[in-house]
Structures are given as C-alpha cells and as structure tokens.
Amino acid sequence: MDANDVRGHLDGLLLAVLESGPLHGYGIIEALQRRSGGALQLPTGTVYPALRRLERARWIEGTWSVVDGRKRRTYSLSPAGRKELARRRSEWVRFTGVIGTVLGGGA
Amino acid sequence: MDANDVRGHLDGLLLAVLESGPLHGYGIIEALQRRSGGALQLPTGTVYPALRRLERARWIEGTWSVVDGRKRRTYSLSPAGRKELARRRSEWVRFTGVIGTVLGGGA
DNA sequence: ACGCTATACGTAGTCACGCTACATATGCAT
DNA sequence: ATGCATATGTAGCGTGACTACGTATAGCGT
C-alpha cells in the first residue's frame, strides 16, 4: 500500500493512536507502523506537521519534557479530540460503504 | 462525504462502472451517483480528464458516436482494464484493512 | 577521538490529483 | 427566446502528503 493513500485519513489515524494514551511524535510513528503490521511507515515530514495542525485545532495537547537528555513533545487526546475521533470513525464507515459498494467485486 | 475523498480511488470507481457495460462520460457520472445512493456527485471536470487518462493507459477504449444529434464518446473496459480493476479491488481490501485496523473503534 | 546509528523534532519546497470555473453545443419544453 | 437537461472538454487552483534537508543528543564500536 502506498503511504500516500492515507490522504484524508491521517488525522483520524493519529487521533486513534493517541486514544490508547499520551505519546510523542516519534513514538506515534512507531505505533502506526506496529499497529498496521508494517504497512504504515509515515515519514517525519508528514507526521510532525500534522501533529502541530491537530494541536492548533485543539484536538490534542502537547507538552515538552526531557527524557534521557532528549527533548520530547508528548501529545494527549483532548475531549474535543475524542469527539473528532468518533466523527472520523463514522465518516470512515460511510466512506468505505460508498466506495466499497460502487467498487463492487464482492465488496 | 466530501467528494474529495475519492482521491486515489477514482480510477477504480470508473473501471467498476464500466464493468457493467459500455457507457459514455455523462452516463458514468449518473451511474456513480445512482450506485452510491447520491453520495458521489462528481463534477465533469473531474470525470472527463480521468476518462482520457484511463484511455491513454489502455484500460478503457473510447469511440465517438452521435445520439439524438449529440456527440457522445462511449467507453468500454479493455482486457487490461479488467485486470487493473481486479488489482484495484484487492488494493482496496488491503487499504481498508490497514486503515480500519489502526483506526479501530470496533472497525 | 571518531563515525555511525537510533532517537527526536522541525521546515521549505515539490508534486499529484481532484476541484472550480469556464467554454462549447444540441434538443426540448415553456 | 429563455432556460434546462444532455454532453464534452480545458485552464488554473487548492489541498495535503511527500522529499530532502537541517538540528541535536545518546550510545556503541573501533
């Protein structure tokens, strides 16, 4: 699967990962990779800007900390982010329903 | 559902519609709308260029005709297009599997 | 001491691809 | 004659993820 196919679904993926608990950018990238069985290997240039965008939208909150001498920005899901995640999930169901139906082929 | 979300899946949708039989651009737009229960209302500026692209890729073949005094370009699925459609369908299954798993929420 | 890798964050510019807005033309109903 | 449905097409735009960098610390091997 081409990593470009996450277009339009990236925000939902990031929110979903953070639902399990606060995590920092680098850890989020690894979590996506792990959860997708290796399919999603998103570059930092994709994830970091997206996280800042989600933060500006108040869906996640970030706090700086230092772990092992390295600066980290740890993000956690906000109540608004939780609502947004739910919205993204129902949108995903609708989306796959529509495309799947038209695409057919036993789908 | 935002029509922009078809990004990356448009070709498959068009090929799928043509699987039922030859059809012209305008008819394809209507078929997409009908099959999707009204969700997919793709503008001509999206569909026509896409059809030309699919034709250049040899996945569909177009022939001009005149019906009721109006010029029509009727497209039909080529053998290569049928193969491509199958490929798109398996990609779709993989895609929804990956995103759905990561997105979670009972998906 | 030096280089390499993993960890960790970030920006600038590019590119793909669907959309908006527009242009063109015929048939039919009011 | 005016407007709407039918029918095809192009030019330019915008969105959003990507590529390619740049920065910095820790830990390991040599």
Side-chain angles (χ1 to χ4, degrees):
Chain A
M1 198 183 91
D2 197 47
N4 209 350
D5 287 337
V6 302
R7 185 180 283 266
H9 308 289
L10 179 59
D11 292 5
L13 294 176
L14 296 175
L15 295 174
V17 166
L18 287 176
E19 197 186 27
S20 312
L23 205 53
H24 62 291
Y26 195 85
I28 291 172
I29 292 175
E30 290 180 319
L32 284 170
Q33 196 170 341
R34 186 166 19 82
R35 284 212 207 181
S36 65
L40 289 179
Q41 303 190 19
L42 304 187
T44 65
T46 291
V47 174
Y48 289 124
L51 288 171
R52 308 204 125 230
R53 190 163 36 76
L54 294 183
E55 191 178 14
R56 275 200 308 279
R58 308 281 184 174
W59 292 330
I60 64 178
E61 286 155 19
T63 52
W64 283 107
S65 60
V66 177
V67 177
D68 290 331
R70 289 191 201 87
K71 289 205 308 189
R72 271 188 186 174
R73 188 152 184 84
T74 300
Y75 294 99
S76 59
L77 205 56
S78 74
R82 230 167 268 280
K83 264 184 71 177
E84 177 65 16
L85 175 56
R87 207 178 63 76
R88 298 273 176 171
R89 278 180 175 141
S90 62
E91 251 181 33
W92 169 253
V93 171
R94 177 155 157 65
F95 167 72
T96 55
V98 168
I99 305 291
T101 299
V102 176
L103 201 55
Chain B
M1 198 182 92
D2 197 48
N4 208 349
D5 286 338
V6 300
R7 185 179 284 267
H9 309 289
L10 179 59
D11 292 4
L13 294 176
L14 297 175
L15 295 173
V17 167
L18 288 176
E19 197 186 27
S20 311
L23 205 54
H24 62 291
Y26 196 86
I28 290 172
I29 292 175
E30 290 180 319
L32 284 170
Q33 196 171 340
R34 188 165 18 84
R35 285 211 206 182
S36 65
L40 289 179
Q41 303 191 18
L42 304 187
T44 65
T46 290
V47 174
Y48 289 122
L51 288 171
R52 309 203 125 230
R53 189 161 38 74
L54 295 182
E55 191 178 14
R56 276 200 308 277
R58 310 281 186 174
W59 292 329
I60 64 178
E61 285 154 21
T63 53
W64 283 106
S65 60
V66 177
V67 177
D68 290 331
R70 291 190 199 86
K71 288 204 311 188
R72 272 188 185 174
R73 189 151 182 85
T74 300
Y75 293 100
S76 60
L77 205 55
S78 75
R82 233 167 266 280
K83 265 184 70 178
E84 178 65 16
L85 175 56
R87 207 179 62 77
R88 298 273 176 173
R89 278 179 173 142
S90 62
E91 251 181 33
W92 169 254
V93 171
R94 177 156 157 63
F95 167 72
T96 54
V98 169
I99 304 291
T101 299
V102 176
L103 201 56

